[in-house]
Amino acid sequence: MSKKATFLPLNLSLSPFLLLLLYLLTLSAVVVHGVQEKKILSVHNNIWSLTKSNEPSSSCLSHNLAKGRESSSTTLGMKHRGLCSGKTIDWGKKLRRALTLDNLRVQSLQLRIKSMSSTTTDSISETQLPLTSGVKLETLNYIITVELGGKNMTLIVDTGSDLTWVQCQPCKSCYNQQGPLYDPSVSSSYKTVLCNSSTCQDLVAATSNPDRCGGSNGVEKTSCDYVVSYGDGSYTRGDLGSESIQLGDTKVENFVFGCGRSNKGLFGGASGLMGLGRSSVSLVYQTMKTFNGVFSYCLPSLEDGASGSLSFGDYKNSTSVSYTPLVQNLQLRSFYILNLTGATIGGVELESPSFGRGIIIDSGTVITRLPPSIYKAVKTEFLKQFTGFPSAPGYSILDTCFNLTSYQDVSIPTIKMIFQGNAVLEVDVSGVFYYVNPDASLVCLALASLSYENEVGIIGNYQQKNQRVVYDTKQEKLGIAGENCSI
């Protein structure tokens, strides 16, 4: 009883002090929370300050590392020969040009979306391939090297495309690529896909290519011709063939691909493109029995020149992956669509009527595009938290820009995208700002607004860096986990 009598007066007498203490603790918690929701960016520690690559050619050889992976998987550690070119690189010009090309790609995707919307087991293996930034090949997309008919081919990885293709001999019109063109005449495993085959008809259905089996001038067509246009003036024309393709330690026979005889475009020095879309002609579908329709990638940061990885088959590691359902859309069945339910800037939740709508995740687009209402909320909150830095004029599609030349390290708010099922993509610190000028005199928030609210948003590869993104087409889900992608 005496304990109770002593205890109560003490509480009452100290209550003003306790209230003050609680108030101070609350303020302290807010400060700590703010620190947790920001990251440090080293402004001048990036590849853009480099002008040359002078690595010896021996360092560009491909190696099978297979480090720390299960026996059924393969990891190749290598660098593309473009890293050894020693050419002088104007990064400022390249980065500014990349924005223009990216805008053309997105315009093309939006037109394609509108067009599409208006129309109505064996043992599973795992293979990993090195996934390298394409900046040395004059593209901000990501590249891998595979063996096609025993020859190394460097391909741009694109989840927004279906058909895999390479430049082929004889070539009527080809862009300059690093390394020799694929020559089907010297491969014993190459086969021509006939025009009247079911494979050719699958191409017609998947890519909206016209059926050209009728021929001309009374001569019946035997080869299966294709045309793929990318909207930015880039295209590939040729004929379908089948060939063995080596993905790490896994060899796939009779892989159907495009043999490009007339190709033009902004593919840098790559040999061609790897289509990882969802149609029947994509690599994902063609290897369904081998890899169970599962692939994942971890995109390395552009700034450090590191290699990431592209994996086929169930990805097994210690990282906890959170999953979100893939949205089913029959009109847009070639794309991977997620339900974006929310976003936070520095821990502050944003509001927009466009949350809860579908957004495409795409490895071929660079800068993320958001519906105007979401972008406005992101920009407003970001500017509230990123204060005291000199502003700079916008450039191209980017309108939230700064001059950071006099700063070494800056604290920037975190950016998180939240999807159905509470899967979260926290943008890596290297994916928040885009360097329009390599000297940091023009650094912009690496997000852009769509023109109209009813256009479909796109999550670009710039915001996917240092994330393990798992595509499970059989289970119809996509997984996300933060991961250091450098290998």
Side-chain angles (χ1 to χ4, degrees):
M1 195 69 167
S2 61
K3 283 175 108 179
K4 188 176 181 182
T6 307
F7 181 76
L8 287 175
L10 184 61
N11 265 337
L12 291 171
S13 61
L14 292 178
S15 58
F17 299 100
L18 288 173
L19 289 173
L20 178 60
L21 181 60
L22 286 172
Y23 177 72
L24 292 174
L25 286 172
T26 302
L27 288 179
S28 175
V30 170
V31 173
V32 171
H33 178 71
V35 171
Q36 292 174 340
E37 295 295 334
K38 290 193 175 183
K39 293 182 176 180
I40 301 298
L41 172 69
S42 296
V43 176
H44 299 285
N45 182 25
N46 57 69
I47 198 173
W48 318 130
S49 60
L50 303 176
T51 57
K52 276 192 176 183
S53 173
N54 296 311
E55 298 185 42
S57 59
S58 60
S59 69
C60 294
L61 298 177
S62 179
H63 301 285
N64 188 348
L65 298 179
K67 57 180 182 180
R69 304 294 182 188
E70 297 184 15
S71 57
S72 61
S73 66
T74 300
T75 301
L76 298 179
M78 61 153 178
K79 295 178 181 178
H80 187 269
R81 60 178 60 90
L83 290 171
C84 314
S85 64
K87 294 180 180 179
T88 300
I89 301 170
D90 184 345
W91 286 117
K93 182 179 179 181
K94 191 181 305 297
L95 290 165
R96 290 187 290 272
R97 183 168 177 261
L99 287 177
T100 301
L101 302 183
D102 196 48
N103 194 36
L104 291 173
R105 174 186 170 88
V106 170
Q107 290 176 7
S108 172
L109 282 176
Q110 294 297 336
L111 289 174
R112 182 178 163 197
I113 289 168
K114 288 178 182 177
S115 174
M116 294 171 74
S117 298
S118 63
T119 62
T120 52
T121 88
D122 293 324
S123 61
I124 304 303
S125 13
E126 181 195 348
T127 294
Q128 280 205 33
L129 301 173
L131 190 64
T132 308
S133 164
V135 290
K136 302 293 186 179
L137 295 183
E138 301 185 15
T139 171
L140 286 190
N141 292 316
Y142 289 84
I143 56 175
I144 60 164
T145 297
V146 300
E147 286 187 20
L148 189 67
K151 304 296 183 182
N152 278 354
M153 296 288 140
T154 302
L155 307 177
I156 296 171
V157 175
D158 190 2
T159 58
S161 298
D162 295 306
L163 182 68
T164 297
W165 60 268
V166 298
Q167 297 200 114
C168 285
Q169 296 280 19
C171 191
K172 296 177 182 177
S173 174
C174 281
Y175 59 84
N176 292 328
Q177 75 174 52
Q178 295 185 9
L181 273 62
Y182 172 78
D183 188 350
S185 67
V186 299
S187 172
S188 60
S189 50
Y190 176 83
K191 299 174 185 176
T192 297
V193 173
L194 298 179
C195 194
N196 59 0
S197 66
S198 59
T199 302
C200 190
Q201 296 308 308
D202 286 344
L203 173 74
V204 172
T207 62
S208 300
N209 271 252
D211 189 340
R212 301 181 179 180
C213 287
S216 59
N217 299 323
V219 179
E220 188 175 348
K221 194 88 175 144
T222 56
S223 63
C224 180
D225 294 347
Y226 76 90
V227 178
V228 178
S229 300
Y230 294 95
D232 57 3
S234 300
Y235 63 81
T236 174
R237 286 194 189 100
D239 45 87
L240 286 195
S242 69
E243 176 63 282
S244 64
I245 186 171
Q246 188 83 26
L247 304 171
D249 282 345
T250 304
K251 189 173 186 177
V252 178
E253 301 288 356
N254 301 315
F255 174 70
V256 177
F257 71 104
C259 216
R261 312 287 185 174
S262 178
N263 316 292
K264 175 185 176 182
L266 310 163
F267 305 107
S271 308
L273 182 143
M274 175 180 281
L276 294 176
R278 304 182 71 180
S279 84
S280 59
V281 298
S282 77
L283 186 145
V284 180
Y285 185 89
Q286 290 192 57
T287 58
M288 180 70 72
K289 291 183 178 179
T290 307
F291 300 122
N292 211 22
V294 178
F295 71 95
S296 70
Y297 54 67
C298 201
L299 305 182
S301 169
L302 298 175
E303 286 74 11
D304 57 18
S307 293
S309 64
L310 172 65
S311 301
F312 293 97
D314 295 328
Y315 187 79
K316 304 177 183 70
N317 72 350
S318 57
T319 304
S320 177
V321 180
S322 57
Y323 284 92
T324 184
L326 288 170
V327 175
Q328 301 304 304
N329 188 314
L330 293 179
Q331 284 78 28
L332 306 180
R333 56 186 177 274
S334 290
F335 295 107
Y336 297 96
I337 304 175
L338 312 178
N339 183 6
L340 181 66
T341 58
T344 65
I345 301 295
V348 176
E349 292 185 12
L350 305 181
E351 294 184 1
S352 167
S354 285
F355 284 133
R357 285 176 42 192
I359 187 168
I360 293 170
I361 184 165
D362 181 31
S363 69
T365 299
V366 179
I367 300 295
T368 292
R369 303 306 205 280
L370 299 171
S373 64
I374 295 180
Y375 178 74
K376 182 180 179 181
V378 168
K379 176 180 177 179
T380 300
E381 186 58 39
F382 189 89
L383 289 175
K384 278 184 184 179
Q385 298 186 32
F386 192 72
T387 58
F389 300 96
S391 61
Y395 184 87
S396 183
I397 57 174
L398 307 178
D399 64 5
T400 307
C401 304
F402 307 89
N403 182 348
L404 301 179
T405 50
S406 60
Y407 298 87
Q408 292 300 318
D409 297 316
V410 295
S411 180
I412 55 178
T414 59
I415 299 177
K416 296 179 182 179
M417 302 180 199
I418 304 166
F419 304 96
Q420 181 180 345
N422 290 323
V424 177
L425 190 160
E426 180 172 347
V427 177
D428 186 73
V429 67
S430 65
V432 175
F433 281 132
Y434 188 92
Y435 284 69
V436 179
N437 291 338
D439 63 358
S441 61
L442 186 56
V443 175
C444 302
L445 181 64
L447 300 168
S449 175
L450 293 166
S451 298
Y452 304 102
E453 200 70 29
N454 63 352
E455 290 182 310
V456 181
I458 304 171
I459 302 171
N461 63 43
Y462 207 78
Q463 282 68 48
Q464 297 179 52
K465 291 181 288 185
N466 286 325
Q467 305 282 336
R468 174 62 58 178
V469 183
V470 183
Y471 294 74
D472 189 334
T473 63
K474 198 167 186 179
Q475 302 275 342
E476 297 288 354
K477 62 182 181 178
L478 182 135
I480 305 170
E483 184 176 321
N484 183 355
C485 294
S486 300
I487 61 171

